[in-house]
């Protein structure tokens, strides 16, 4: 950005065909904005014209013809204020009204009303037209705007207009910078010796020569070779400036008006946009669901169908939450204004604000979606970040993911995340990986886990707990593992759940309570394994003992294994815990006096056969009681 220039103002024109918009610009600047041959021949503007006014102002001339309203919308989409033109001899005409509606929908805040062709009418007629103008401006952003009658032919009133124009320019504040570079292209041309040049207004951010940018929707990487502002070469350019940018990496044929030049990684083309829509009173009739419309966004016109999210049908003068299903993808941002026009015949019927520029296909009357859109409608970054975390129940988020999702600068997201951490609205579940999760979701997740455990305990009263994998399956598909670990750990510390010895989760104070019948079977099972000592029965032998109803016996058997009363030592051999402990004691004692033990010695020690003794020894190996050294075993480290 040139140091001497702090800001740049873009002024637009608007008004009915032939009302003298282009002639007015020529009278103000000496330059004819109609640059096309066709325009000069027909005496009619067909496309946007760009003329410099002083050092810091560009005036965009728009066509008044009803066939070119789409160009008018694209021209008006980036202006700071408008010179609203009405011809004294013609008065209020259809595009006077339509352009006014467009400006209102685009939320243009200021302007000047210029009554042209003053030289063609008498004073009393001029007064009538001025009164009419006042009438249509009532309750609009132009209601207190100065009304200046001029003649572009005789020059009458032009000096006064310049004075008012300069005052308004001086009062206009620089556009707010959202940080991430974006420019909506309104022109693309070739300059001999340089190649492709695109022009447009920088809507946010800043670039310098050498930067790599992305052309969207084609997602083509390009490099900035040169930048011009007001025909002067500069090395960098920032928000609000109209600039011409010489690009390397794209041909003119690949670029159209309406394409977006942006900092890579943030903006994404999307087929679905969620927005609020206001249907103009002048729309005249009800707007039906799925109507095909022209959506004017930035400098682009896109065809698409409208889906009402919170209404079945929209009456003139009403507002609705809508989704646009587009025929070609759009690249836009939160808070962008848009205008909708009917497909055929074409007329402006409404417009609104983009709430979600990267939406997914929605159904009507999805209450959750409506609530979500209402929450972020105002476009407040903190609320948007909170909501982004809230809607991601399964996944903790990283700062850069949030920044890319919401087209917000990393530094801003970091700052807001810190605030949210301080306000306990967000928690960091993994500092190393920088993973953040919504406190609200965390409470919900903990509740879900408690409920799953309650349900599990109810249905499986003699199971000590739920296997972790089963718990994960019950929470939600695609759940992040580190989030689950964090949560379970935290819940264990808070003493709301516990991890059992065999890696199962249970409620903290859950204990298996056996009914009389089951208790009896468990006792008899224990008895059976104690009596058997080191020759325990196998599963079939247990069942054949008919200790009770077979189903119950099976349950009881699982219970004694789950609770560790019986221990599975290997090779389908199960022994009573007491026998295993006893064997361990004997083994340790033996090794303390003998240093090493052979299988045969262990066999004699327990008075059992090799079939049972070998798996038991291996069991002790894996539990580090013993270490196998060739044919013998020695005592494990921690028992020495
Ligand atoms: N007598 C008189 N003629 C004017 C004045 N302003 C414009 N005209 C004439 O009106 C005709 C239309 O003027 P333009 O400036 O082309 O009108 P426009 O609003 O740009 O028209 P479009 O771009 O097609 O919408 C031209 O023949 C101009 O010379 C004026 O103040 N006095
Ligand atoms: Mg014109």
């Amino acid at each position: 950005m040139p140091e001497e220039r702090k800001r740049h103002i873009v002024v637009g024109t608007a008004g009915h065909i032939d009302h003298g918009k282009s002639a007015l610009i020529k009278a103000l600047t000496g330059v004819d904005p109609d640059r096309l041959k066709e325009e000069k021949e027909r005496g009619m503007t067909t496309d946007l014209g760009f003329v410099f006014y002083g050092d810091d102002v560009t005036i965009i001339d728009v066509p008044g013809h009803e066939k070119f309203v789409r160009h008018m919308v694209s021209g008006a989409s980036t202006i700071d204020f408008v010179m609203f033109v009405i011809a004294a001899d013609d008065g209020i005409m259809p595009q006077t009204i339509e352009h006014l509606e467009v400006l209102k929908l685009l939320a243009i805040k200021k302007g000047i009303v210029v009554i042209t062709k003053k030289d063609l009418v008498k004073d009393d007629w001029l007064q009538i037209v001025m009164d009419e103008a006042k009438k249509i401006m009532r309750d609009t952003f132009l209601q207190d705007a100065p009304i200046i009658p001029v003649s572009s032919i005789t020059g009458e009133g032009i000096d006064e207009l310049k004075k008012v124009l300069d005052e308004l320019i001086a009062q206009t504040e620089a556009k707010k910078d959202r940080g991430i570079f974006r420019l909506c292209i309104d022109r693309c041309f070739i300059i001999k010796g340089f190649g492709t040049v695109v022009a447009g207004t920088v809507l946010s951010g800043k670039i310098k020569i050498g930067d790599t940018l992305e052309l969207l929707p084609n997602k083509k990487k390009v490099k900035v070779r040169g930048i011009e502002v007001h025909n002067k070469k500069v090395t960098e350019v920032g928000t609000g400036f109209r600039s011409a940018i010489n690009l390397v990496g794209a041909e003119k044929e690949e670029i159209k008006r309406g394409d977006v030049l942006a900092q890579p990684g943030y903006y994404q083309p999307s087929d679905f946009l969620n927005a609020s829509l206001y249907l103009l009173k002048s729309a005249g009739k009800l707007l039906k669901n799925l109507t095909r419309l022209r959506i004017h966004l930035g400098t682009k016109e896109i065809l698409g169908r409208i889906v009402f999210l919170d209404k079945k049908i929209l009456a003139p003068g009403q507002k609705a939450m809508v989704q646009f299903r587009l025929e070609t993808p759009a690249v836009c941002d939160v808070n962008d204004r848009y205008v909708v026009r009917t497909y055929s015949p074409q007329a402006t019927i409404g417009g609104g604000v983009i709430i979600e520029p990267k939406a997914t296909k929605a159904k009507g009357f999805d209450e959750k979606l409506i609530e979500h859109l209402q929450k972020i409608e105002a476009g407040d970054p903190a609320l948007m970040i909170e909501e982004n975390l809230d809607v991601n129940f399964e996944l903790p988020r990283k700062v850069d993911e949030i920044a890319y999702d919401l087209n917000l600068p990393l530094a801003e997201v970091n700052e807001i995340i810190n605030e949210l951490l301080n306000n306990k609205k967000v928690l960091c579940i993994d500092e190393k990986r920088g993973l953040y999760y919504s406190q609200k979701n965390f409470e919900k997740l903990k509740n879900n886990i408690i409920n799953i455990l309650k349900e599990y305990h109810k249905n499986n009263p003699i199971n000590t707990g739920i296997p972790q994998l089963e718990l994960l399956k019950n929470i939600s598909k695609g759940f992040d593992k580190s989030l689950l670990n964090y949560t379970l750990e935290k819940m264990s510390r808070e003493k709301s759940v516990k991890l059992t010895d065999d890696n199962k989760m249970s409620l903290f104070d859950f204990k298996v309570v056996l009914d009389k019948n089951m208790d009896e079977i468990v006792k008899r099972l224990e008895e059976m394994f104690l009596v058997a000592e080191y020759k325990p029965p196998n599963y079939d032998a247990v069942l054949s003992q008919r200790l009770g109803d077979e189903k119950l016996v099976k349950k009881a058997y699982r219970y004694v294994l789950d609770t560790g009363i019986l221990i599975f030592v290997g090779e389908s051999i199960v022994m009573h815990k007491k026998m295993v402990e006893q064997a361990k004691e004997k083994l340790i004692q033996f090794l303390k006096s003998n240093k090493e033990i052979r299988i045969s010695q262990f066999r004699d020690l327990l008075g059992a056969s090799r079939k049972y003794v070998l798996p038991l020894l291996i069991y002790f190996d894996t539990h580090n009681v013993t270490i196998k050294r060739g044919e013998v075993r020695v005592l494990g480290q921690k028992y020495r």
Side-chain angles (χ1 to χ4, degrees), residues 402-444:
I402 300 173
Y404 289 149
D405 269 7
L406 303 175
N407 301 343
L408 289 171
L410 273 176
E412 187 177 356
V413 178
N414 257 320
E415 204 175 291
I416 292 174
I417 286 280
N418 278 332
E419 249 169 61
L420 293 173
L421 280 170
N422 285 337
N423 299 338
K424 307 243 175 313
K425 287 190 165 166
V426 163
L427 69 168
C428 178
I429 67 138
D430 188 335
E431 280 191 24
K432 231 167 147 190
R433 289 168 61 207
L435 294 176
Y436 297 93
Y437 193 61
S438 129
Q439 183 69 41
K440 203 160 100 189
N441 283 342
F442 187 58
E443 297 306 324
K444 187 170 133 192

Side-chain angles (χ1 to χ4, degrees), residues 17-23 43-45 63-64 117 119-120 151-153:
I17 182 167
D18 260 352
H19 276 202
K21 298 177 288 298
S22 303
M44 174 174 106
T45 309
K117 309 198 186 183
D119 55 300
L120 294 183
S151 166
S152 303
I153 302 296

Side-chain angles (χ1 to χ4, degrees), residues 18 20-23 33-34 39 43-47 61-64:
D18 260 352
K21 298 177 288 298
S22 303
D34 286 336
E39 290 180 319
M44 174 174 106
T45 309
T46 57
D47 204 346
D61 187 33
V62 306

Side-chain angles (χ1 to χ4, degrees), residues 33 85 115 139 153 180 249 257 260 264 282 430 483 584 604 616:
V85 170
I115 310 290
D139 297 327
I153 302 296
I180 292 154
R257 167 176 296 165
V260 170
S282 58
D430 188 335
L483 173 59
K584 184 172 148 189
D604 295 345
L616 194 54

